[in-house]
Amino acid sequence: MSSVRICVLGDIETGKSSLITSFVKNVFVTTKIQPTLPQVTIPPSIGTPENVTTTIVDTSAHPQDRTNLDREIRKSNVILLVYSDHYSYERVGLFWMPHFRSLGVNVPVVLCASKADLAVKTSTSQIIEEEMLPLMAEFKEIDSCIRTSARENYNVGEAIFLCQKAVTHPIAPLFDSKDSCLKPAAVTALKRVFYLCDRDQNGYLDDDEIQQFQNRCFGKPLNPDDLGEIKRTVEHVSPESVNDKGIDCHGFLILNKMFAEKGRHETIWIILRTFHYTDSLSLRDSFLHPKFEVPPHASAELSPAGYRFFVDLFLLFDKDNDGGLNSSELAALFSPTPGLPPSWLENDNFPSSTVRNEAGHITLQGWLAQWSMTTFTFPHTTLAYLTYLGFEGPDPLRNPNTTSALKITKPRKRRKRPGRVERNVVHAYILGAPGSGKSSLLDNFLARPFSPTYHPTIRPRTAVNSVELPGGKQIYLILSELGELEPAVLENAPKLDAGTDLIVYVYDSSDPDSFSYIPSMRAKYPHLDTLPALYVALKADSDKATQRTEVQPEEYASGLGMSKPLHVSVTWKSCAELFVALAEAALYPSTAFPRDEREGESVGERYGYYVAAGAVLCVGMAAVGIYRRVGMGE
């Protein structure tokens, strides 16, 4: 907020104009002043909170000025409601507060008991207890209260400061004065602050972590005496919240509750704004959703800094050091966020989408693969969760920015040109007839055991894992099976081209009706021919069947100028070579297009050598076995 507009109002002769004059001149004016003063503007240079411009507007309570009064009330950010005697005090609850509500105005009200010099027999504590507190209990709009005297220049500046603070550091979003507790949104925000400051995630802020927090929020460290006093104060209220490890989250919340109760809620706001919270206790939108545009034909990936952050996060929360994040560890990790990213639950069926250990817990390999896929498909989701989880870039104090955790790849405009696509994350769609083995292929990709039971895929399914290429380079491969959404996805040619690196046509080599699905699909969606593709014959461990099509798969692929289908079975160890072949085809897309006379072997041909060598070895071993049995029979 760049400005504060204070509307000073109350009954006639309550001293409104005198308060303003005393504040401006810093002395009581004994001469007669005009009934309603012109508005006063205080520039930010005169020590205002948050360096805001403050405008003070005097008002008239005469009936004939009611229209102008209501207009000023609606324009204000805060109301300084002044009363001076019993009659004007009664009017606060009977007229003024109901009138504000009738106007639909929801701004903080600072209650001011003026002319304290005329009520010398009544103490301030008595005024607060008997007059102000009952009104504050009845009307939550009343932010604070103060007793003043324009004649003695007593608390005049403080009254204006309270008005400024009611706007720049409002108590209402933080504290429920009726129930005397922090509001849920404030608790959620402060818990996230605690999470980010608890660097070792042991559930306590130790002395070093408290000092780091203090320096970050207030620019100076605590001296040992002040730190000890804070601990003693928290321990007095909640003994179990303080021990040799430091102060726990409950103690941290108690400390902030005390700030609110003592009228030091600006301290809470300094903390929250340091961690990029707005007045509505949401994270600043420009911080949560920074500008990040991915050009056409390019993609988003995690940068080395992004991968390092997610590795450190995994290791920090793997409390039992078993190499996997169980449900409680995941819950602790995601506690400062809205929960698991929606795409993980809606599209990815996490954690089934990535690598898990024998206990079913996501491994570090699977964790990095999952975030690689999220960044590829929904980069703004990754940016938001980097913010929630505490990544703030190389200069978090002066220029907090999560975009340094991501990078944009070089656009791939001409896929048919020989050469490597500059990507470390690639995406392939697995297309084929129902029952052709697509789900089993995805299971094998994630090292899941083979199940002979057929379960038709209805919802789309995605699997992501790392693949090591010849030479040791590692990339992430995303495989997607479309299920019932196949027509909707394949009809959207622009989106398909933008988000797909490879089409993998699969069929069941033991089912004579399986391959016919592929020519029919290609005829229905001719734009598929603009994408790199490979043909894969699954279930090669079963007897090969002649396909009921005009031409057999090998002839069909050759007729297109494509590599012959790769024959594989998920029961073979060599199936891992298929995923290398898919990754290479995605990275070198020109090798996966039809060709007339193309120099060099294609990915499919290289893979064929691996399988052929294995087949020759198996045949050779079988021949030796037969020879030996025949020899023994002789």
Side-chain angles (χ1 to χ4, degrees):
M1 180 161 298
S2 59
S3 63
V4 173
R5 189 176 182 89
I6 305 172
C7 183
V8 184
L9 51 80
D11 284 353
I12 300 170
E13 301 294 332
T14 53
K16 304 185 295 295
S17 301
S18 294
L19 275 175
I20 297 172
T21 306
S22 181
F23 172 75
V24 172
K25 297 183 176 294
N26 203 30
V27 65
F28 180 68
V29 178
T30 57
T31 57
K32 187 176 181 180
I33 57 177
Q34 60 192 94
T36 305
L37 299 173
Q39 72 179 34
V40 177
T41 300
I42 307 169
S45 56
I46 308 182
T48 57
E50 301 291 312
N51 293 318
V52 296
T53 300
T54 303
T55 302
I56 305 174
V57 180
D58 193 12
T59 60
S60 169
H62 289 290
Q64 63 269 27
D65 297 322
R66 181 62 52 80
T67 301
N68 183 63
L69 173 69
D70 291 349
R71 183 169 58 250
E72 290 297 341
I73 291 172
R74 289 191 175 99
K75 289 167 61 177
S76 66
N77 302 118
V78 59
I79 294 170
L80 180 62
L81 181 54
V82 183
Y83 73 91
S84 60
D85 53 26
H86 181 73
Y87 174 75
S88 58
Y89 166 76
E90 291 292 332
R91 290 257 300 165
V92 169
L94 293 175
F95 172 73
W96 288 110
M97 296 305 299
H99 184 62
F100 301 155
R101 290 180 176 179
S102 71
L103 294 175
V105 173
N106 185 23
V107 297
V109 175
V110 175
L111 189 61
C112 175
S114 66
K115 302 184 181 181
D117 54 291
L118 300 181
V120 293
K121 295 182 179 181
T122 309
S123 66
T124 299
S125 59
Q126 186 178 354
I127 292 288
I128 292 174
E129 185 177 349
E130 295 179 359
E131 297 180 0
M132 295 178 171
L133 289 182
L135 284 172
M136 293 183 73
E138 184 178 356
F139 300 101
K140 286 193 172 184
E141 300 95 317
I142 300 178
D143 180 89
S144 55
C145 54
I146 190 169
R147 195 182 188 201
T148 64
S149 169
R151 182 180 297 276
E152 297 179 354
N153 203 19
Y154 170 66
N155 277 349
V156 174
E158 285 78 358
I160 301 300
F161 178 76
L162 282 177
C163 291
Q164 293 170 326
K165 195 171 72 168
V167 178
T168 60
H169 301 94
I171 186 65
L174 302 177
F175 191 70
D176 188 330
S177 56
K178 184 176 182 181
D179 295 332
S180 189
C181 64
L182 293 170
K183 290 188 174 179
V187 171
T188 299
L190 289 168
K191 281 184 176 179
R192 177 176 172 271
V193 171
F194 182 91
Y195 169 102
L196 298 180
C197 295
D198 183 14
R199 298 292 183 178
D200 57 6
Q201 287 299 318
N202 69 342
Y204 292 87
L205 295 184
D206 60 29
D207 289 0
D208 289 340
E209 290 168 338
I210 291 174
Q211 292 291 14
Q212 290 174 14
F213 163 79
Q214 175 74 14
N215 276 315
R216 177 171 179 175
C217 294
F218 305 102
K220 58 182 179 180
L222 285 168
N223 65 54
D225 292 340
D226 290 340
L227 179 56
E229 181 60 28
I230 288 173
K231 289 182 177 180
R232 285 189 294 271
T233 302
V234 173
E235 188 174 17
H236 178 73
V237 178
S238 177
E240 66 277 5
S241 293
V242 181
N243 58 30
D244 293 341
K245 296 179 181 179
I247 300 174
D248 67 7
C249 186
H250 180 63
F252 182 71
L253 294 176
I254 287 173
L255 186 62
N256 282 277
K257 178 175 176 284
M258 291 177 176
F259 291 148
E261 289 173 333
K262 295 178 179 179
R264 292 179 54 193
H265 41 280
E266 69 273 13
T267 302
I268 305 176
W269 278 117
I270 291 172
I271 294 169
L272 293 174
R273 286 171 180 162
T274 299
F275 286 87
H276 313 291
Y277 282 92
T278 65
D279 289 353
S280 62
L281 295 181
S282 60
L283 284 168
R284 186 160 38 86
D285 191 66
S286 61
F287 183 55
L288 187 61
H289 303 291
K291 185 177 180 181
F292 186 83
E293 297 180 1
V294 181
H297 308 291
S299 65
E301 297 179 0
L302 288 172
S303 68
Y307 277 115
R308 185 165 55 250
F309 175 78
F310 282 117
V311 168
D312 292 343
L313 204 62
F314 181 96
L315 297 176
L316 189 61
F317 282 89
D318 183 18
K319 297 299 184 181
D320 53 12
N321 295 316
D322 66 343
L325 295 179
N326 58 41
S327 57
S328 61
E329 290 168 339
L330 273 175
L333 191 155
F334 281 102
S335 62
T337 75
L340 291 176
S343 63
W344 289 22
L345 302 174
E346 296 169 5
N347 304 327
D348 304 339
N349 195 25
F350 177 84
S352 300
S353 55
T354 192
V355 184
R356 294 179 290 174
N357 60 21
E358 293 180 355
H361 305 152
I362 184 172
T363 63
L364 177 59
Q365 178 183 347
W367 174 252
L368 297 179
Q370 185 72 27
W371 280 112
S372 297
M373 176 169 64
T374 303
T375 305
F376 180 86
T377 52
F378 302 103
H380 288 94
T381 296
T382 299
L383 287 171
Y385 274 78
L386 284 164
T387 299
Y388 289 130
L389 295 168
F391 182 92
E392 294 181 324
D395 189 5
L397 296 181
R398 288 182 295 181
N399 184 31
N401 196 338
T402 55
T403 56
S404 62
L406 271 62
K407 66 177 183 178
I408 296 175
T409 63
K410 185 178 179 181
R412 49 150 174 74
K413 296 181 180 179
R414 301 177 64 181
R415 303 198 216 202
K416 294 183 180 181
R417 175 182 292 177
R420 186 185 190 280
V421 173
E422 297 300 321
R423 293 188 173 189
N424 295 310
V425 182
V426 291
H427 180 210
Y429 279 120
I430 311 297
L431 305 180
S436 57
K438 301 185 292 295
S439 296
S440 294
L441 186 65
L442 266 62
D443 286 337
N444 183 274
F445 185 46
L446 299 177
R448 306 277 163 75
F450 171 71
S451 172
T453 306
Y454 174 62
H455 298 285
T457 300
I458 299 175
R459 291 184 58 194
R461 184 184 169 197
T462 303
V464 60
N465 198 355
S466 58
V467 174
E468 186 174 328
L469 303 177
K473 182 175 177 61
Q474 178 178 278
I475 71 158
Y476 290 97
L477 174 62
I478 305 167
L479 300 180
S480 293
E481 181 185 3
L482 296 174
E484 291 186 344
L485 288 184
E486 183 176 283
V489 173
L490 298 186
E491 285 171 0
N492 193 335
K495 189 173 181 180
L496 192 66
D497 177 72
T500 310
D501 295 288
L502 182 69
I503 297 293
V504 184
Y505 297 110
V506 302
Y507 67 96
D508 179 356
S509 61
S510 66
D511 179 359
D513 297 314
S514 184
F515 183 75
S516 61
Y517 186 87
I518 295 174
S520 174
M521 178 172 50
R522 290 186 63 249
K524 186 176 181 180
Y525 307 106
H527 52 269
L528 290 175
D529 292 348
T530 64
L531 300 172
L534 284 183
Y535 291 81
V536 178
L538 296 175
K539 305 185 184 180
D541 57 323
S542 301
D543 292 338
K544 182 179 179 181
T546 300
Q547 298 294 313
R548 294 192 181 103
T549 53
E550 292 183 5
V551 293
Q552 294 304 298
E554 289 77 7
E555 298 172 3
Y556 180 86
S558 297
L560 294 173
M562 302 286 289
S563 301
K564 293 181 179 180
L566 312 178
H567 288 260
V568 68
S569 168
V570 295
T571 62
W572 294 351
K573 291 183 179 181
S574 60
C575 189
E577 298 294 343
L578 171 64
F579 304 122
V580 176
L582 300 184
E584 287 191 316
L587 291 174
Y588 297 90
S590 66
T591 65
F593 276 105
R595 64 177 184 174
D596 295 321
E597 293 182 0
R598 188 167 53 198
E599 294 182 4
E601 63 185 15
S602 69
V603 171
E605 288 166 344
R606 286 200 296 274
Y607 176 80
Y609 294 159
Y610 301 144
V611 175
V616 169
L617 180 61
C618 291
V619 171
M621 293 297 292
V624 171
I626 293 171
Y627 173 79
R628 285 179 176 173
R629 284 196 293 274
V630 171
M632 289 173 66
E634 293 177 350

